[in-house]
Amino acid sequence: GAGVSQTPSNKVTEKGKYVELRCDPISGHTALYWYRQSLGQGPEFLIYFQGTGAADDSGLPNDRFFAVRPEGSVSTLKIQRTERGDSAVYLCASSLYNSPEEQYFGPGTRLTVT
Amino acid sequence: AQTVTQSQPEMSVQEAETVTLSCTYDTSESNYYLFWYKQPPSRQMILVIRQEAYKQQNATENRFSVNFQKAAKSFSLKISDSQLGDTAMYFCAFMKMGGSEKLVFGKGTKLTVNP
């Protein structure tokens, strides 16, 4: 079947604008994860969903960042009042319930804030 | 908190030769997973190999093998018969077993395989 997909592939926005990044997990995967990868760094955990609920949002850097997964499938990461420091690749991964050690990653969205 | 350290920012190897990438980690947990991921220019993270900490036997996947030293908290990746397609960023990662689903990554090693 299809892998994890993320849209858009690239997003350029101006400082202060609002952006939404979308993740479509593998069908049947109840767990979904968001990571942020800044230039020259490894990915850093942002938030984890099990079904519709955020089971762990300890990685969200501040209240400008918010994520939803209303129907337990597609997830949207929302960033308000973007700052240049938000520029990064945002990676999404999904896994089966109780198999977090088998996370499948999408190709990421490269966000550039000018 | 767990930390993962990759001390080699860049490495290069000749095609068909063997290369070893280093990784150390710090944790107080007893049960955990360790991973090596490959990230080509396409950005997609691809799992190379996984090791469960409770297993004494080192994991192997075709040309890829690990040297897991639990007491030393060391987890190196050996790539045998290197191929041009192995050129990529390689990330070492840690996951606590049970109760935490997040991966903790190192900063990565850029591997270049030369023809």
Side-chain angles (χ1 to χ4, degrees):
Chain A
V4 178
S5 62
Q6 293 186 245
T7 53
S9 179
N10 292 282
K11 175 72 176 178
V12 180
T13 191
E14 293 180 348
K15 179 176 178 295
K17 299 289 189 181
Y18 167 83
V19 296
E20 290 190 350
L21 311 179
R22 175 188 168 112
C23 172
D24 208 330
I26 292 172
S27 178
H29 280 192
T30 60
L32 185 145
Y33 316 79
W34 284 99
Y35 295 84
R36 179 170 70 172
Q37 186 175 17
S38 300
L39 191 64
Q41 304 293 317
E44 292 180 306
F45 170 80
L46 293 176
I47 187 169
Y48 153 63
F49 286 91
Q50 186 61 262
T52 60
D56 182 356
D57 64 357
S58 62
L60 294 177
N62 52 60
D63 61 6
R64 296 187 298 105
F65 288 74
F66 189 71
V68 296
R69 195 185 184 201
E71 297 180 359
S73 179
V74 171
S75 176
T76 305
L77 179 66
K78 308 180 181 197
I79 310 174
Q80 298 177 324
R81 304 183 303 281
T82 52
E83 300 177 357
R84 293 195 180 87
D86 299 335
S87 295
V89 173
Y90 289 81
L91 295 167
C92 176
S94 70
S95 74
L96 291 169
Y97 177 74
N98 266 352
S99 295
E101 74 279 8
E102 295 187 8
Q103 295 184 25
Y104 294 84
F105 282 82
T109 294
R110 181 179 298 280
L111 175 66
T112 303
V113 182
T114 61
Chain B
Q2 290 80 24
T3 59
V4 177
T5 302
Q6 294 179 251
S7 58
Q8 306 151 315
E10 293 191 39
M11 292 194 72
S12 63
V13 63
Q14 292 298 121
E15 198 175 4
E17 293 188 347
T18 296
V19 64
T20 298
L21 307 184
S22 300
C23 172
T24 58
Y25 60 95
D26 189 24
T27 185
S28 58
E29 302 291 335
S30 300
N31 297 315
Y32 49 87
Y33 299 97
L34 293 164
F35 308 81
W36 279 98
Y37 281 89
K38 171 184 178 181
Q39 187 178 42
S42 66
R43 297 195 308 240
Q44 189 149 6
M45 301 288 277
I46 301 164
L47 178 65
V48 174
I49 200 165
R50 181 177 68 231
Q51 174 83 41
E52 290 85 352
Y54 63 83
K55 291 186 177 178
Q56 293 188 336
Q57 187 170 5
N58 288 324
T60 63
E61 285 288 342
N62 301 313
R63 298 183 295 108
F64 300 88
S65 62
V66 297
N67 183 2
F68 173 45
Q69 301 289 329
K70 190 172 184 179
K73 295 180 181 173
S74 170
F75 184 62
S76 61
L77 174 70
K78 185 171 84 171
I79 306 174
S80 304
D81 185 26
S82 297
Q83 300 176 359
L84 296 177
D86 295 335
T87 293
M89 287 292 296
Y90 286 81
F91 292 93
C92 180
F94 171 100
M95 178 189 288
K96 175 183 166 184
M97 196 180 284
S100 174
E101 290 74 17
K102 56 187 168 187
L103 289 158
V104 177
F105 289 88
K107 288 189 174 183
T109 295
K110 182 178 180 181
L111 177 67
T112 302
V113 180
N114 298 308

Short mmCIF file of all heavy atoms in Angstrom, two decimals, chain A residues 9-10 33 35 37 40-43 45 48 58 89 100-103 105-108 110, chain B residues 33 35 37 39 42-47 50 91 95 100-108:
data_model
loop_
_atom_site.label_atom_id
_atom_site.label_comp_id
_atom_site.label_asym_id
_atom_site.label_seq_id
_atom_site.Cartn_x
_atom_site.Cartn_y
_atom_site.Cartn_z
N SER A 9 5.17 19.62 -0.21
CA SER A 9 6.55 19.18 -0.12
C SER A 9 7.44 20.31 0.36
O SER A 9 8.37 20.10 1.15
CB SER A 9 7.01 18.68 -1.49
OG SER A 9 8.35 18.28 -1.43
N ASN A 10 7.15 21.49 -0.12
CA ASN A 10 7.89 22.69 0.27
C ASN A 10 6.90 23.82 0.50
O ASN A 10 5.90 23.93 -0.21
CB ASN A 10 8.88 23.11 -0.82
CG ASN A 10 10.01 22.13 -0.99
OD1 ASN A 10 10.95 22.10 -0.21
ND2 ASN A 10 9.92 21.29 -2.01
N TYR A 33 3.14 10.48 14.49
CA TYR A 33 4.17 11.27 15.17
C TYR A 33 4.58 12.43 14.28
O TYR A 33 4.69 12.28 13.06
CB TYR A 33 5.42 10.41 15.44
CG TYR A 33 5.12 9.04 15.98
CD1 TYR A 33 4.72 8.01 15.13
CD2 TYR A 33 5.25 8.75 17.33
CE1 TYR A 33 4.45 6.74 15.61
CE2 TYR A 33 4.98 7.48 17.83
CZ TYR A 33 4.58 6.49 16.96
OH TYR A 33 4.31 5.23 17.44
N TYR A 35 7.85 15.18 13.90
CA TYR A 35 9.21 15.54 14.30
C TYR A 35 9.63 16.79 13.50
O TYR A 35 9.14 17.02 12.40
CB TYR A 35 10.21 14.41 13.97
CG TYR A 35 10.01 13.13 14.73
CD1 TYR A 35 9.10 12.16 14.30
CD2 TYR A 35 10.75 12.87 15.89
CE1 TYR A 35 8.92 10.98 15.01
CE2 TYR A 35 10.58 11.69 16.60
CZ TYR A 35 9.66 10.74 16.15
OH TYR A 35 9.48 9.57 16.85
N GLN A 37 13.10 18.72 12.01
CA GLN A 37 14.53 18.56 11.74
C GLN A 37 15.10 19.89 11.25
O GLN A 37 14.89 20.28 10.10
CB GLN A 37 14.76 17.45 10.69
CG GLN A 37 16.21 17.14 10.48
CD GLN A 37 16.43 15.96 9.54
OE1 GLN A 37 15.54 15.56 8.80
NE2 GLN A 37 17.62 15.37 9.56
N GLY A 40 21.20 20.60 9.75
CA GLY A 40 22.38 20.06 10.40
C GLY A 40 22.12 19.30 11.68
O GLY A 40 23.06 18.95 12.41
N GLN A 41 20.84 19.03 11.96
CA GLN A 41 20.48 18.34 13.19
C GLN A 41 19.70 17.07 12.89
O GLN A 41 19.21 16.87 11.78
CB GLN A 41 19.60 19.25 14.06
CG GLN A 41 20.22 20.59 14.40
CD GLN A 41 21.42 20.45 15.30
OE1 GLN A 41 21.41 19.67 16.26
NE2 GLN A 41 22.48 21.19 15.01
N GLY A 42 19.57 16.22 13.91
CA GLY A 42 18.68 15.09 13.78
C GLY A 42 17.25 15.53 14.08
O GLY A 42 17.03 16.59 14.67
N PRO A 43 16.29 14.73 13.69
CA PRO A 43 14.89 15.08 13.99
C PRO A 43 14.66 15.15 15.50
O PRO A 43 15.25 14.40 16.27
CB PRO A 43 14.11 13.92 13.37
CG PRO A 43 15.01 13.34 12.34
CD PRO A 43 16.39 13.50 12.88
N PHE A 45 11.47 15.23 18.37
CA PHE A 45 10.07 14.89 18.59
C PHE A 45 9.24 16.13 18.92
O PHE A 45 9.66 16.99 19.70
CB PHE A 45 9.98 13.90 19.75
CG PHE A 45 8.58 13.62 20.24
CD1 PHE A 45 7.76 12.75 19.57
CD2 PHE A 45 8.11 14.26 21.38
CE1 PHE A 45 6.48 12.49 20.03
CE2 PHE A 45 6.84 14.01 21.86
CZ PHE A 45 6.01 13.12 21.18
N TYR A 48 2.82 13.22 19.57
CA TYR A 48 2.43 11.85 19.24
C TYR A 48 0.93 11.70 19.47
O TYR A 48 0.41 12.09 20.52
CB TYR A 48 3.24 10.89 20.12
CG TYR A 48 2.60 9.55 20.41
CD1 TYR A 48 2.33 8.65 19.40
CD2 TYR A 48 2.30 9.18 21.72
CE1 TYR A 48 1.77 7.41 19.67
CE2 TYR A 48 1.74 7.94 22.02
CZ TYR A 48 1.48 7.06 20.98
OH TYR A 48 0.92 5.85 21.25
N SER A 58 4.72 16.84 24.52
CA SER A 58 5.79 17.46 25.29
C SER A 58 6.87 18.12 24.44
O SER A 58 7.65 18.92 24.94
CB SER A 58 6.45 16.42 26.21
OG SER A 58 7.03 15.38 25.44
N VAL A 89 12.68 21.12 8.32
CA VAL A 89 11.90 20.06 7.68
C VAL A 89 11.03 19.42 8.75
O VAL A 89 11.53 19.03 9.82
CB VAL A 89 12.81 18.99 7.03
CG1 VAL A 89 11.99 17.81 6.53
CG2 VAL A 89 13.63 19.61 5.90
N PRO A 100 5.44 1.13 18.33
CA PRO A 100 6.14 2.41 18.09
C PRO A 100 7.55 2.21 17.57
O PRO A 100 8.12 3.15 16.99
CB PRO A 100 6.16 3.06 19.48
CG PRO A 100 6.07 1.92 20.44
CD PRO A 100 5.19 0.92 19.77
N GLU A 101 8.09 1.01 17.78
CA GLU A 101 9.45 0.74 17.29
C GLU A 101 9.48 0.54 15.78
O GLU A 101 10.55 0.42 15.20
CB GLU A 101 10.03 -0.49 17.99
CG GLU A 101 9.47 -1.84 17.55
CD GLU A 101 8.13 -2.18 18.20
OE1 GLU A 101 7.56 -1.32 18.89
OE2 GLU A 101 7.69 -3.34 18.01
N GLU A 102 8.33 0.53 15.15
CA GLU A 102 8.25 0.40 13.69
C GLU A 102 7.56 1.61 13.11
O GLU A 102 6.44 1.54 12.58
CB GLU A 102 7.52 -0.89 13.31
CG GLU A 102 8.26 -2.14 13.75
CD GLU A 102 7.64 -3.43 13.24
OE1 GLU A 102 6.72 -3.36 12.41
OE2 GLU A 102 8.08 -4.50 13.67
N GLN A 103 8.22 2.74 13.19
CA GLN A 103 7.69 3.98 12.65
C GLN A 103 8.12 4.12 11.20
O GLN A 103 9.30 3.98 10.88
CB GLN A 103 8.17 5.18 13.47
CG GLN A 103 7.65 5.18 14.89
CD GLN A 103 8.04 6.41 15.68
OE1 GLN A 103 8.32 7.48 15.14
NE2 GLN A 103 8.07 6.26 17.00
N PHE A 105 8.32 6.72 8.07
CA PHE A 105 8.38 8.16 7.88
C PHE A 105 7.90 8.59 6.50
O PHE A 105 8.08 7.87 5.51
CB PHE A 105 9.82 8.65 8.07
CG PHE A 105 10.24 8.76 9.50
CD1 PHE A 105 10.66 7.64 10.20
CD2 PHE A 105 10.20 9.98 10.17
CE1 PHE A 105 11.04 7.72 11.53
CE2 PHE A 105 10.57 10.08 11.49
CZ PHE A 105 11.00 8.95 12.18
N GLY A 106 7.36 9.78 6.45
CA GLY A 106 7.05 10.43 5.19
C GLY A 106 8.25 11.22 4.70
O GLY A 106 9.27 11.30 5.38
N PRO A 107 8.11 11.86 3.53
CA PRO A 107 9.23 12.59 2.93
C PRO A 107 9.45 13.97 3.54
O PRO A 107 10.42 14.64 3.22
CB PRO A 107 8.84 12.70 1.47
CG PRO A 107 7.34 12.67 1.50
CD PRO A 107 6.95 11.79 2.63
N GLY A 108 8.54 14.40 4.40
CA GLY A 108 8.73 15.68 5.06
C GLY A 108 8.22 16.87 4.28
O GLY A 108 8.02 16.81 3.06
N ARG A 110 9.43 20.81 3.80
CA ARG A 110 10.46 21.81 4.11
C ARG A 110 9.78 23.17 4.23
O ARG A 110 9.23 23.68 3.25
CB ARG A 110 11.53 21.87 3.02
CG ARG A 110 12.63 22.89 3.34
CD ARG A 110 13.70 22.94 2.27
NE ARG A 110 14.39 21.69 2.12
CZ ARG A 110 15.37 21.26 2.92
NH1 ARG A 110 15.75 22.01 3.94
NH2 ARG A 110 15.96 20.10 2.69
N TYR B 33 15.17 0.38 22.78
CA TYR B 33 15.56 0.04 21.42
C TYR B 33 16.64 1.03 20.96
O TYR B 33 16.63 2.20 21.34
CB TYR B 33 14.40 0.17 20.44
CG TYR B 33 13.20 -0.71 20.70
CD1 TYR B 33 12.09 -0.22 21.38
CD2 TYR B 33 13.17 -2.01 20.20
CE1 TYR B 33 10.98 -1.02 21.59
CE2 TYR B 33 12.05 -2.82 20.41
CZ TYR B 33 10.97 -2.32 21.10
OH TYR B 33 9.86 -3.11 21.30
N PHE B 35 18.41 2.25 17.12
CA PHE B 35 18.15 2.21 15.68
C PHE B 35 19.26 2.92 14.92
O PHE B 35 19.89 3.84 15.44
CB PHE B 35 16.85 2.97 15.34
CG PHE B 35 15.64 2.57 16.10
CD1 PHE B 35 15.42 3.06 17.38
CD2 PHE B 35 14.69 1.73 15.54
CE1 PHE B 35 14.28 2.72 18.10
CE2 PHE B 35 13.54 1.38 16.25
CZ PHE B 35 13.34 1.88 17.52
N TYR B 37 19.06 4.88 11.22
CA TYR B 37 18.24 5.32 10.10
C TYR B 37 19.14 5.92 9.03
O TYR B 37 20.14 6.57 9.33
CB TYR B 37 17.22 6.38 10.52
CG TYR B 37 15.99 5.85 11.21
CD1 TYR B 37 15.97 5.68 12.59
CD2 TYR B 37 14.85 5.53 10.48
CE1 TYR B 37 14.82 5.20 13.22
CE2 TYR B 37 13.71 5.04 11.10
CZ TYR B 37 13.70 4.89 12.47
OH TYR B 37 12.58 4.41 13.09
N GLN B 39 19.06 8.62 5.77
CA GLN B 39 18.29 9.70 5.18
C GLN B 39 18.99 10.17 3.90
O GLN B 39 19.94 10.95 3.96
CB GLN B 39 18.09 10.86 6.14
CG GLN B 39 17.14 11.93 5.61
CD GLN B 39 16.92 13.05 6.60
OE1 GLN B 39 17.85 13.53 7.24
NE2 GLN B 39 15.66 13.49 6.74
N SER B 42 16.43 12.65 -0.61
CA SER B 42 14.97 12.71 -0.72
C SER B 42 14.29 13.04 0.62
O SER B 42 13.10 13.29 0.67
CB SER B 42 14.42 11.37 -1.23
OG SER B 42 14.66 10.34 -0.27
N ARG B 43 15.07 13.04 1.70
CA ARG B 43 14.64 13.41 3.06
C ARG B 43 13.92 12.28 3.82
O ARG B 43 13.74 12.38 5.02
CB ARG B 43 13.71 14.64 3.07
CG ARG B 43 14.31 15.90 2.58
CD ARG B 43 13.46 17.09 2.96
NE ARG B 43 12.08 16.98 2.59
CZ ARG B 43 11.46 17.83 1.77
NH1 ARG B 43 12.14 18.81 1.19
NH2 ARG B 43 10.18 17.68 1.50
N GLN B 44 13.49 11.24 3.12
CA GLN B 44 12.72 10.20 3.81
C GLN B 44 13.62 9.35 4.69
O GLN B 44 14.60 8.78 4.23
CB GLN B 44 12.01 9.34 2.80
CG GLN B 44 11.02 8.38 3.43
CD GLN B 44 9.85 8.11 2.51
OE1 GLN B 44 9.83 8.53 1.36
NE2 GLN B 44 8.87 7.38 3.00
N MET B 45 13.28 9.26 5.96
CA MET B 45 14.04 8.43 6.90
C MET B 45 13.71 6.96 6.65
O MET B 45 12.54 6.57 6.67
CB MET B 45 13.69 8.78 8.34
CG MET B 45 13.94 10.22 8.73
SD MET B 45 15.70 10.56 8.88
CE MET B 45 15.99 9.98 10.52
N ILE B 46 14.76 6.17 6.46
CA ILE B 46 14.58 4.74 6.18
C ILE B 46 15.27 3.95 7.27
O ILE B 46 16.46 4.16 7.55
CB ILE B 46 15.20 4.39 4.81
CG1 ILE B 46 14.55 5.22 3.70
CG2 ILE B 46 15.06 2.90 4.52
CD1 ILE B 46 15.33 5.23 2.40
N LEU B 47 14.54 3.03 7.90
CA LEU B 47 15.14 2.20 8.94
C LEU B 47 16.16 1.25 8.33
O LEU B 47 15.85 0.51 7.40
CB LEU B 47 14.06 1.42 9.67
CG LEU B 47 14.56 0.47 10.76
CD1 LEU B 47 15.21 1.27 11.90
CD2 LEU B 47 13.42 -0.38 11.29
N ARG B 50 17.59 -2.35 13.66
CA ARG B 50 17.08 -2.11 15.00
C ARG B 50 17.65 -3.17 15.95
O ARG B 50 17.78 -4.33 15.57
CB ARG B 50 15.55 -2.18 15.00
CG ARG B 50 14.92 -1.93 16.35
CD ARG B 50 13.40 -1.94 16.27
NE ARG B 50 12.85 -3.24 15.99
CZ ARG B 50 11.97 -3.48 15.02
NH1 ARG B 50 11.56 -2.50 14.24
NH2 ARG B 50 11.50 -4.70 14.83
N PHE B 91 21.57 8.36 10.89
CA PHE B 91 21.21 8.81 12.23
C PHE B 91 21.07 7.62 13.16
O PHE B 91 20.39 6.64 12.84
CB PHE B 91 19.89 9.59 12.21
CG PHE B 91 19.98 10.90 11.51
CD1 PHE B 91 19.66 11.01 10.16
CD2 PHE B 91 20.38 12.04 12.19
CE1 PHE B 91 19.73 12.24 9.50
CE2 PHE B 91 20.46 13.27 11.55
CZ PHE B 91 20.14 13.36 10.20
N MET B 95 14.99 4.68 21.67
CA MET B 95 13.60 4.73 22.12
C MET B 95 13.46 3.90 23.40
O MET B 95 13.84 2.72 23.40
CB MET B 95 12.63 4.20 21.07
CG MET B 95 11.18 4.18 21.54
SD MET B 95 10.07 3.33 20.42
CE MET B 95 10.01 4.50 19.10
N SER B 100 6.92 5.18 26.30
CA SER B 100 7.37 6.36 25.55
C SER B 100 7.57 5.95 24.11
O SER B 100 8.27 4.98 23.84
CB SER B 100 8.66 6.91 26.11
OG SER B 100 9.14 7.96 25.29
N GLU B 101 6.95 6.68 23.21
CA GLU B 101 6.99 6.26 21.82
C GLU B 101 7.86 7.16 20.96
O GLU B 101 7.90 7.02 19.75
CB GLU B 101 5.56 6.27 21.25
CG GLU B 101 4.65 5.19 21.81
CD GLU B 101 4.20 5.47 23.24
OE1 GLU B 101 4.31 6.62 23.71
OE2 GLU B 101 3.72 4.53 23.89
N LYS B 102 8.57 8.09 21.57
CA LYS B 102 9.32 9.03 20.77
C LYS B 102 10.75 8.54 20.55
O LYS B 102 11.39 7.96 21.43
CB LYS B 102 9.34 10.40 21.42
CG LYS B 102 9.86 10.45 22.82
CD LYS B 102 9.66 11.85 23.38
CE LYS B 102 9.90 11.91 24.87
NZ LYS B 102 9.55 13.22 25.45
N LEU B 103 11.21 8.80 19.34
CA LEU B 103 12.59 8.52 19.00
C LEU B 103 13.44 9.73 19.38
O LEU B 103 13.05 10.87 19.16
CB LEU B 103 12.71 8.28 17.49
CG LEU B 103 12.12 6.96 16.98
CD1 LEU B 103 11.81 7.04 15.49
CD2 LEU B 103 13.10 5.83 17.25
N VAL B 104 14.61 9.45 19.94
CA VAL B 104 15.60 10.49 20.24
C VAL B 104 16.78 10.25 19.31
O VAL B 104 17.40 9.19 19.35
CB VAL B 104 16.04 10.44 21.71
CG1 VAL B 104 17.12 11.48 21.98
CG2 VAL B 104 14.85 10.64 22.63
N PHE B 105 17.08 11.23 18.48
CA PHE B 105 18.09 11.09 17.44
C PHE B 105 19.39 11.78 17.80
O PHE B 105 19.40 12.80 18.52
CB PHE B 105 17.59 11.70 16.13
CG PHE B 105 16.49 10.94 15.44
CD1 PHE B 105 15.17 11.17 15.75
CD2 PHE B 105 16.80 10.00 14.46
CE1 PHE B 105 14.15 10.47 15.11
CE2 PHE B 105 15.79 9.30 13.81
CZ PHE B 105 14.47 9.53 14.14
N GLY B 106 20.48 11.27 17.23
CA GLY B 106 21.75 11.98 17.23
C GLY B 106 21.76 13.00 16.10
O GLY B 106 20.80 13.13 15.35
N LYS B 107 22.90 13.70 15.95
CA LYS B 107 23.00 14.76 14.95
C LYS B 107 23.32 14.22 13.56
O LYS B 107 23.25 14.97 12.59
CB LYS B 107 24.06 15.77 15.35
CG LYS B 107 23.66 16.64 16.51
CD LYS B 107 24.67 17.77 16.74
CE LYS B 107 24.16 18.71 17.82
NZ LYS B 107 25.08 19.85 18.02
N GLY B 108 23.70 12.97 13.47
CA GLY B 108 23.91 12.37 12.17
C GLY B 108 25.36 12.35 11.73
O GLY B 108 26.18 13.14 12.17
#
